[in-house]
Amino acid sequence: MNAAERAARLRAEIAAHNEAYHVFDAPTIPDADYDALVRELRAIEAEHPELNVEDSVSHKVGAPPSTLFTPVTHAEPMLSLDNVFDVAELRAWSARAAKTLDVSSEELVFVVEPKIDGLALSIEYVDGVLARAATRGDGRVGEDVTENVRRISNVPLTLSGNVRTRVEVRGEVFLAKSDFVEMNQRQREAGQKEFANPRNAAAGSLRQKDPSITASRPLSFLSYQLVELGGASSFTRYVETLTQLATWGFLTASETTTELGATAMIARSDWFEEHRHELRYQIDGIVVKVDDLAQRTRLGFTSRAPRWAIARKLPPEERTTRLRNIEVSVGRTGRVTPFAVLEPVVVAGSTVAMATLHNEDQVKVKDVRPGDLVIVRKAGDVIPEVVSAVSEPGRRRKPRWKFPTTCPACGSVLERVGDESDTYCVNPACPAQQLQQIVHFASRGALDIEGLGEQRVAQLLGVGLISDVADLFSLHVHDLSVLEGLGELSATSLVNAIQGAKTMPLSRLLVALGIRHVGPVAARELAAAFRSYQRIEAASFDELAGVAGVGPVIAASVVAYLSEDENRDRARRFEADGLTMVEPQVRTTLEQTLAERAVVVTGSVEGYSRDGAEEAIVARGGTSPGSVSKKTYCVVVGEAPGASKVSKARELGVPMVPAGDFEILLESGSWRTQLA
Ligand code: IVH
C-alpha cells in the first residue's frame, strides 16, 4: 500500500470512528487507538504535503451534528486541543510558545488543569439568563440541547452581578466516577448493556430527545472557558475568568493551579498523572494553558486548536487485546462468575491477564467470544473488566460462548434463582467454595492472617491438613513441614499469625464467618450490642432485629446461620481452641456527641481512612450509613465527594458539613460552616 492509499484508508477509518464516537456515543475502539490512527495520518500528511488536503479529517474536530437536534452555529468556533504524549513533547511545546513570545519558558505563567473525559458544551447567557446550550458538533455547528442542559442540577439558570449582555460559558459535561459505577450497576441489574465509559454515559444521557431522561441522570457541568461576545475582554488573565465563573456558581476544577515556569508546570502535570485515580472524575489527560490573555492573542491558533494550550494525554486505561478464553470461578458463596483469560496487556500501569465478565447476562449482552479482539478497562484499583468486543470485518468468529451447566469444581448442577443474573453452585461441600471461604476468613477485613493467601490455603486443603476454618487453630509448625516451598521460619510465622488471630475482636470474627448480609458495618453493630459470640447465639430474632442498623433481613440471616449444627459445632471448637470471641470495650471516656445520629461521609477526609472516619463517628455514639436519607443528621463532604450523595443531601435539605469541620463535629456534635 502506498502513502496515498494508506492515507485514504486511515481517513475512512477515522471518519467512521468519529461518527461512532460523536454521533452514536458508542466508540468501537479505545481513545488511545484512535489517537494512534490520527497520529499516523498526520505523519503521512507531514511527509507528503501533496496529501495534506484542506478537508482531511486530521484538521477537523469531532463529527457533524446528528439530525436528532436542531443545529446551532457557534458564535465562536469550539476548537479542540493539540495533544502531546510525554514530558519531552510538553517541554517542547512550552519552549515554542516561549520563543514566539520572546521570553524564557521559565518566565511563563501556566495554568494546569485536569482534562475531563466528558463532552464539550457551550452555554449562552443573554442578559444573565440561560438562553441556549449546544454541543460541540464539528466545532462550527453543534446541536441544540438547551432543554436537557436546563435539567443538569449544577448549571445556573441565571447569572447575577457583573454580566455582559452576551456570554458563553464553555466546559465539560461529565459523570463522576462513582455515579458512573452506580449507573452501570443498575444497567447490569436490569440486564441492559453497560456504558463503555463515563464519557459515553454522559454523552448518552445528555443527547436524549426526552429531557426528563437527562434529568434522571447524575450529570454535572464543569466550566473552563468564558467567551465574552461583543467587545474586548474585561479580564487580563485566564485565572480571573475562572474566578468569575465560580462566582456565578459554576463548578470549576478545584485541582487547577497556576505555575510559574515550565519546570513547575511539568511537575504539576506529573502530579495529575500520579493522582488521576483519586479524582472524582475520569480524566484522559492534563490541559496546560498560558494564563496571560494578551500572550494568548499573540500565540493565536492553528486551524483546529489554540497554540496557547496543549493537552498532555495520559497512558490509556483501556486497551485492546485478544480474548483467549472465557472461564468461570466459584466464589465463597457459591456464586459462579465468568471471567476472561486475555493475552496479557498493560493497562493503567499494570499487566492484565484476566478480567471479570460479571455474569451470564453480561457475556450475552456484550457478545464477547473466545478469539475476539476485546477492549479491557481498568480504572484505578477497580477490578479489570472486559468492556466490549471490537468488530473485525471479514474475520470469522467462534460460536457464542455457553455458560457451563455444572460446577467446574464439584460437578453439581448450577442454579439461577428467579430473575437474578447470578448463577450459583448450591453444593455446600463444593471444594471451590470451601477454599474461598477459608481465604476470606484469613483476609484483610476479616481475621487478617498474614501468609494465608489462596495458594497456601489450596496447599493445606490439598494435603488434607484442613477442611474447615476451625482446623486452622490446631495446626503445628511440624505439621506444615509437608508443604512444598514453606521453610521452618515461614511455617513458624504462619502458625504465630494464626494463633494471633484468636484474640481478634468479635466484629472481625463475624465478618470472617461470611454470614450472608453481615458485612463490616452490621458486624460492628452486632458486636457492639452483644459483646460476645455466645450472647449473639442466645439472642432471639427480635433482639437481633432490634439492634440499630441491623433490621429483619440481617437478623433472619444470623438466626439461620446459628441454627445450623455445623456452625454451632464450629463455635464450640473455637472456644476449645481459645478464641476470645468478644468485642473489647470501647473507650467510654469520649463524649457521645453524635448519639443516635446518622452522619454520612462522602469523599476523603484528611487524616482519616474511610473506615477510620466511620469508626470515629461510631466512637461518638453515632452511625455512619452508606446513603443519605431524610433521617441523616448531616453529610460530611471531603475531597472528591460522590455527586449522588451531594445532590441527595441538597434535595432533602440535609446539612452539608465541610471535611475541615469534621473534628469540631466529633467534639461538639455541631459545625462552624455549612456548604450550600
Ligand atoms: S480547553 C480552545 N480545558 O478536551 C480550548 N478542554 O481534546 C478549548 N476538555 O474540546 C478546550 N477538559 O471537550 C479545555 N480543562 C479543559 C478540558 C478540555 C476537557 C475537552 C474539551 C475539548 C477537548 C479537546
Side-chain angles (χ1 to χ4, degrees):
M1 204 183 306
N2 64 28
E5 285 162 358
R6 180 66 191 153
R9 165 83 64 93
L10 284 167
R11 283 186 193 126
E13 257 187 62
I14 292 168
H17 290 312
N18 277 347
E19 184 173 49
Y21 186 100
H22 293 283
V23 180
F24 299 112
D25 300 325
T28 50
I29 57 168
D31 290 356
D33 296 10
Y34 173 85
D35 287 343
L37 295 176
V38 175
R39 254 183 299 167
E40 188 185 344
L41 176 59
R42 292 228 177 97
I44 296 176
E45 289 173 347
E47 212 174 297
H48 305 271
E50 74 282 5
L51 296 176
N52 193 357
V53 288
E54 183 79 17
D55 69 342
S56 168
V57 286
S58 66
H59 304 299
K60 294 216 180 95
V61 178
S66 83
T67 49
L68 258 185
F69 301 91
T70 316
V72 173
T73 304
H74 298 299
E76 261 183 35
M78 289 182 79
L79 295 176
S80 186
L81 293 169
D82 278 332
N83 296 324
V84 293
F85 294 87
D86 57 40
V87 168
E89 289 177 354
L90 181 57
R91 196 182 290 284
W93 166 80
S94 66
R96 275 198 306 279
K99 188 153 180 254
T100 309
L101 296 169
D102 211 13
V103 293
S104 134
S105 64
E106 292 303 323
E107 287 164 355
L108 269 180
V109 177
F110 300 97
V111 176
V112 187
E113 49 191 40
K115 184 171 189 306
I116 293 158
D117 203 6
L119 87 159
L121 183 74
S122 185
I123 316 176
E124 185 185 336
Y125 289 84
V126 177
D127 296 325
V129 179
L130 192 158
R132 196 165 63 175
T135 62
R136 183 172 69 186
D138 63 6
R140 203 179 56 80
V141 181
E143 301 160 324
D144 188 330
V145 286
T146 312
E147 285 319 304
N148 299 5
V149 169
R150 281 188 207 283
R151 286 163 179 79
I152 298 177
S153 62
N154 77 340
V155 169
L157 297 176
T158 55
L159 313 178
S160 55
N162 174 26
V163 190
R164 290 261 197 129
T165 37
R166 264 183 83 200
V167 296
E168 274 188 34
V169 176
R170 293 180 176 178
E172 208 77 0
V173 174
F174 70 96
L175 266 175
K177 283 187 226 164
S178 55
D179 291 322
F180 168 70
V181 170
E182 249 178 69
M183 236 170 101
N184 261 356
Q185 176 82 26
R186 247 175 280 145
Q187 293 289 107
R188 244 193 329 271
E189 281 164 9
Q192 307 246 299
K193 201 171 160 86
E194 289 175 55
F195 294 99
N197 52 49
R199 197 211 88 88
N200 290 122
S205 301
L206 181 68
R207 299 173 72 251
Q208 289 283 342
K209 257 306 186 199
D210 176 0
S212 70
I213 299 182
T214 305
S216 73
R217 306 273 171 87
L219 292 174
S220 304
F221 175 72
L222 181 143
S223 61
Y224 49 67
Q225 197 182 5
L226 172 63
V227 182
E228 298 172 279
L229 297 165
S233 167
S234 25
F235 303 95
T236 57
R237 315 198 75 93
Y238 170 55
V239 283
E240 294 166 1
T241 67
L242 288 178
T243 308
Q244 175 62 265
L245 290 168
T247 317
W248 278 332
F250 289 97
L251 173 70
T252 51
S254 60
E255 302 84 7
T256 298
T257 58
T258 33
E259 304 292 343
L260 172 62
T263 308
M265 173 272 282
I266 287 167
R268 182 64 185 172
S269 82
D270 286 341
W271 178 91
F272 273 102
E273 175 168 32
E274 198 182 320
H275 295 277
R276 69 190 292 194
H277 302 306
E278 292 147 39
L279 308 184
R280 55 184 280 248
Y281 25 68
Q282 174 163 301
I283 66 170
D284 60 344
I286 301 120
V287 183
V288 179
K289 297 171 180 171
V290 170
D291 186 34
D292 187 309
L293 300 183
Q295 287 180 331
R296 283 192 181 188
T297 311
R298 286 171 60 198
L299 286 164
F301 300 85
T302 67
S303 66
R304 65 182 289 275
R307 286 200 191 86
W308 44 259
I310 197 81
R312 174 183 167 191
K313 287 282 198 132
L314 289 176
E317 298 189 285
E318 279 183 9
R319 293 289 304 274
T320 45
T321 188
R322 194 64 65 184
L323 175 61
R324 285 188 178 149
N325 202 3
I326 299 176
E327 293 178 11
V328 296
S329 69
V330 185
R332 71 181 162 90
T333 59
R335 186 163 77 202
V336 182
T337 308
F339 67 94
V341 182
L342 304 162
E343 253 161 46
V345 51
V346 177
V347 195
S350 58
T351 303
V352 174
M354 283 189 289
T356 182
L357 281 160
H358 300 292
N359 58 44
E360 180 176 13
D361 292 350
Q362 281 305 307
V363 183
K364 273 207 193 107
V365 189
K366 289 176 178 164
D367 187 20
V368 285
R369 311 179 189 188
D372 282 356
L373 203 55
V374 294
I375 299 176
V376 181
R377 172 173 63 212
K378 183 171 180 293
D381 29 305
V382 184
I383 307 170
E385 61 178 338
V386 172
V387 181
S388 58
V390 178
S391 80
E392 295 173 279
R395 187 177 164 277
R396 256 187 91 109
R397 300 176 74 196
K398 294 214 173 112
R400 271 176 183 274
W401 176 78
K402 286 206 184 66
F403 205 91
T405 52
T406 55
C407 174
C410 71
S412 62
V413 175
L414 298 179
E415 287 182 14
R416 246 185 96 158
V417 219
D419 53 4
E420 274 186 43
S421 315
D422 291 327
T423 307
Y424 285 90
C425 165
V426 292
N427 170 17
C430 170
Q433 287 181 51
Q434 278 172 348
L435 169 74
Q436 294 306 330
Q437 280 159 12
I438 301 170
V439 171
H440 169 76
F441 187 78
S443 68
R444 208 170 282 144
L447 291 195
D448 196 13
I449 304 175
E450 215 183 308
L452 201 55
E454 181 161 340
Q455 274 185 357
R456 191 66 69 213
V457 174
Q459 266 186 324
L460 289 166
L461 282 168
V463 297
L465 275 174
I466 59 169
S467 64
D468 186 279
V469 291
D471 299 330
L472 289 170
F473 297 100
S474 40
L475 285 176
H476 293 287
V477 175
H478 62 258
D479 296 330
L480 302 179
S481 61
V482 295
L483 297 188
E484 215 168 290
L486 188 73
E488 191 173 328
L489 217 58
S490 311
T492 311
S493 316
L494 180 57
V495 169
N496 286 343
I498 295 171
Q499 294 303 315
K502 288 180 174 178
T503 51
M504 272 297 217
L506 173 62
S507 49
R508 297 288 211 100
L509 178 65
L510 291 174
V511 171
L513 293 174
I515 305 168
R516 210 158 169 232
H517 302 305
V518 180
V521 177
R524 270 203 300 272
E525 305 288 1
L526 286 167
F530 295 98
R531 311 234 80 91
S532 82
Y533 190 87
Q534 292 75 6
R535 262 186 243 131
I536 295 178
E537 281 185 309
S540 68
F541 170 84
D542 289 340
E543 283 168 331
L544 290 166
V547 174
V550 174
V553 176
I554 296 174
S557 172
V558 173
V559 169
Y561 177 89
L562 293 173
S563 67
E564 297 211 15
D565 286 344
E566 192 192 351
N567 297 331
R568 297 193 80 88
D569 293 347
R570 185 180 300 113
R572 302 292 81 77
R573 287 189 61 195
F574 283 159
E575 285 167 359
D577 280 328
L579 271 77
T580 56
M581 304 167 90
V582 294
E583 192 70 358
Q585 202 69 35
V586 280
R587 286 173 296 160
T588 45
T589 47
L590 285 180
E591 205 185 321
Q592 300 294 288
T593 45
L594 296 173
E596 318 263 304
R597 287 171 170 167
V599 177
V600 174
V601 181
T602 177
S604 60
V605 178
E606 205 186 315
Y608 291 87
S609 66
R610 177 127 230 111
D611 289 350
E614 282 175 15
E615 271 161 24
I617 292 164
V618 172
R620 292 292 187 165
T623 58
S624 188
S627 58
V628 180
S629 76
K630 286 203 303 282
K631 292 189 202 136
T632 308
Y633 177 61
C634 66
V635 177
V636 175
V637 182
E639 265 294 297
S644 62
K645 285 195 185 120
V646 170
S647 60
K648 189 86 196 177
R650 251 190 221 129
E651 187 189 317
L652 298 173
V654 173
M656 286 191 283
V657 178
D661 279 6
F662 188 55
E663 294 293 342
I664 297 172
L665 175 69
L666 293 173
E667 271 156 37
S668 67
S670 142
W671 49 86
R672 256 185 334 201
T673 40
Q674 196 165 312
L675 302 171

